[in-house]
Amino acid sequence: MRRLFAFAVAAVLALVAGCAPETTPKTATKPKELADPELAINGVPGSALESGDSFTITVSTNSSGDITVSTDKPTVATVVADGNLKYKITAVSPTDVQVKLIVSQQEQVKEYAAAKVEAVFSVKGSGSEDLPGPDDSISGTGFTFIETSGPVAGPERGMYKGYEVRSDTEPLAASVVKSKKVSDGVTLWLLEFYLTDFMTGDISSAYLNKIKDCFEGVLGGGAKAVVRFAYRWDGDRVSIDDQEPKLDVLLKHIQQVKPVLTQYESVIMVLQAGFIGCWGEWYYTTNVSTGKDRRAVVDALLDALPSSRQIELRTPAFKMGLYDIALKDTLTAATAHDGSVASRLGGHNDCFGADKNDRGTFDNETSRKFWKAETRYTIMGGETCEVSDYCLCPQTLQDLEDYHWTYLHDGYRQEVLSRWRTDGCMDEIQSRLGYRLVLKDVHYDTVKSGQKCKVTIRFYNSGFAAPMNPREAWLVWVGSDGKEQKTMLGADPRNWHSGYNAVVSSFTPSSDKGTLYLQLSDPLLADRPEYSIPFANNDVFDAGTGYNKLFEVK
């Protein structure tokens, strides 16, 4: 009885205690930092800018987070820091165009979150000039070029090496990247990040740091990365229900890697959609198998990846089905590279040449026609997976050309690669993957200090594809006194498709004597000459500056 009474008293006391106000306050939850509301862009012109003109903006902010200023059309408008949060914007365009100005600010820890503001300005085109044909006569002084034989290593193209990163894997070292670049001309790596240990929870800080270390290794070695995230590489030994986590966990992982993708935008060439199925190839899965769920994954990736970069889907059917895009809706010169979802979705084929439909890559002839059209403007790459009559040299070269291939795995499948070597087409494949820009000739007017000089450049792209990521194109005049003077070329290298190309531009030299170069630099790595595109000509590219020599006036 005493025990029952004691229990009853304890129960009443507990009830009273539960109703009484707390005497000890709970620990306050720290509010999440907000973006600086004062972040703003000042000085954007309200009227259209004349082609070739400049203006200066000032960024105002209360945060001390680092500022990055860029544009969505780096081949039209360039940004140069002018000190004290001032930036000089110069725009050159033959046609009327609108340019988006983007100011991004990193977080100030414990004070302000990361932020971004945008503004738009217009450029009045200078007018397009009829471009000469390959055999047309051109006035002025002319100079012809000789093509280099064999493959030429260039950024964001070619045969890639793969590197799988698990929790117990050492990060890819810059020394390894440099070594392969020197010995084999490798400028591209596939980084496959396996999140196997995080199927039920967050990615650990240790693994996130390992991802960063791998990107640092690629950057330190002067290369670029194709990136894929996945959970399983041993699909035949794991239940189909255990190839990736549930959708909510997967989407949380995408949010976790978003800051890393933003930080290393410059190193990333392209992101393969990954995450779903064994090897991240979107097969062998039940957790993320509906169109709605897969669309949610791609939408999350589009948000996580900087808008300058594309995402590759495993088959054309995924792009067509998830985003209701028909063959008649394929990209055109007018819609390519405009920042839309369609313009940012490319493809990768990891069973190239395996059989009639590349092991399910293609559903029908419509899907083939779709990729043939789309890959003129979006990135295509992948690997082989099986020896067949469809990977003989003549068919292989035709398919690489038709689908505008930019990169291919040098490690799989070796039997296919050996066939190409034996049958004599491997050198051509290595030379033509992506772009191969070859100067034909250059013509120029009389060079006189202070007077505009017209320059006509004719060249061929004998590669399978155009350069795909944003590029700055500069005419660089180096006077006899060694001083450099840069003028925007006014052309977008992403439009230099396979075949004959020509550019007509002009510059105003600061001296009568000097040398004119063409620089095709990476806008995010402008101070790294190894990321500039070389022309495949003898005695043209200077690896120390990233400049291609056009002519010299002595």
Side-chain angles (χ1 to χ4, degrees), residues 275-461:
F275 282 99
I276 302 171
C278 189
W279 306 296
E281 288 193 32
W282 285 42
Y283 292 113
Y284 324 115
T285 176
T286 57
N287 287 333
V288 190
S289 58
T290 68
K292 178 182 178 182
D293 289 350
R294 293 186 176 203
R295 167 88 181 243
V297 172
V298 180
D299 286 345
L301 290 172
L302 288 166
D303 174 69
L305 187 70
S307 60
S308 69
R309 296 299 185 252
Q310 296 181 24
I311 295 169
E312 293 178 311
L313 300 177
R314 179 59 184 85
T315 73
F318 286 128
K319 181 171 181 177
M320 298 175 78
L322 296 182
Y323 291 91
D324 193 26
I325 300 174
L327 180 60
K328 64 179 178 61
D329 303 319
T330 53
L331 294 168
T332 66
T335 58
H337 311 301
D338 66 358
S340 65
V341 169
S343 71
R344 294 185 62 201
L345 293 178
H348 67 105
N349 181 351
D350 284 2
C351 248
F352 174 61
D355 59 24
K356 182 179 180 180
N357 293 311
D358 289 353
R359 293 289 177 85
T361 299
F362 300 103
D363 296 333
N364 47 44
E365 188 60 29
T366 297
S367 63
R368 282 189 173 275
K369 289 180 179 178
F370 184 81
W371 254 9
K372 286 180 181 180
E374 287 277 299
T375 54
R376 181 174 172 83
Y377 306 106
T378 59
I379 301 174
M380 167 58 67
E383 64 183 5
T384 64
C385 76
E386 193 65 62
V387 176
S388 77
D389 290 342
Y390 293 89
C391 61
L392 296 171
C393 276
Q395 183 68 54
T396 294
L397 290 170
Q398 187 63 58
D399 285 344
L400 291 172
E401 186 172 299
D402 287 347
Y403 296 97
H404 309 95
W405 277 67
T406 289
Y407 67 88
L408 193 60
H409 193 183
D410 78 344
Y412 193 79
R413 186 167 182 170
Q414 285 297 339
E415 294 90 337
V416 177
L417 304 178
S418 295
R419 169 184 277 186
W420 292 344
R421 293 188 187 97
T422 301
D423 292 354
C425 62
M426 179 58 93
D427 277 354
E428 182 174 351
I429 291 171
Q430 291 178 317
S431 296
R432 296 184 64 195
L433 281 169
Y435 57 84
R436 180 180 174 87
L437 305 181
V438 183
L439 288 166
K440 178 184 183 294
D441 54 33
V442 59
H443 292 78
Y444 57 96
D445 295 341
T446 300
V447 175
K448 188 171 180 61
S449 178
Q451 292 187 8
K452 183 177 290 187
C453 176
K454 178 181 174 182
V455 180
T456 302
I457 306 167
R458 296 193 289 191
F459 60 96
Y460 291 92
N461 181 357

Side-chain angles (χ1 to χ4, degrees), residues 43 71 91 122 135 208 211 252 264 308 427 467 470 476 525 532 535-536:
T71 73
S122 300
D135 300 318
L208 289 171
I211 296 173
K252 177 67 180 299
Y264 291 97
S308 69
D427 277 354
V476 184
L525 295 165
S532 291
F535 277 79

Side-chain angles (χ1 to χ4, degrees), residues 35-40 59-69 85 102-108 112-117:
D36 175 17
E38 299 300 320
L39 180 64
V59 177
S60 58
T61 178
N62 290 327
S63 172
S64 61
D66 290 343
I67 295 286
T68 302
V69 180
L85 294 181
I102 307 159
V103 174
S104 302
Q105 185 170 46
Q106 293 184 11
E107 70 171 332
Q108 180 185 348
Y112 294 105
K116 181 170 69 175
V117 292

Side-chain angles (χ1 to χ4, degrees), residues 144-165:
T144 59
F145 300 86
I146 300 174
E147 180 177 359
T148 299
S149 61
V152 174
E156 300 187 326
R157 60 157 300 276
M159 304 292 286
Y160 73 82
K161 288 204 170 292
Y163 195 78
E164 296 181 354
V165 185

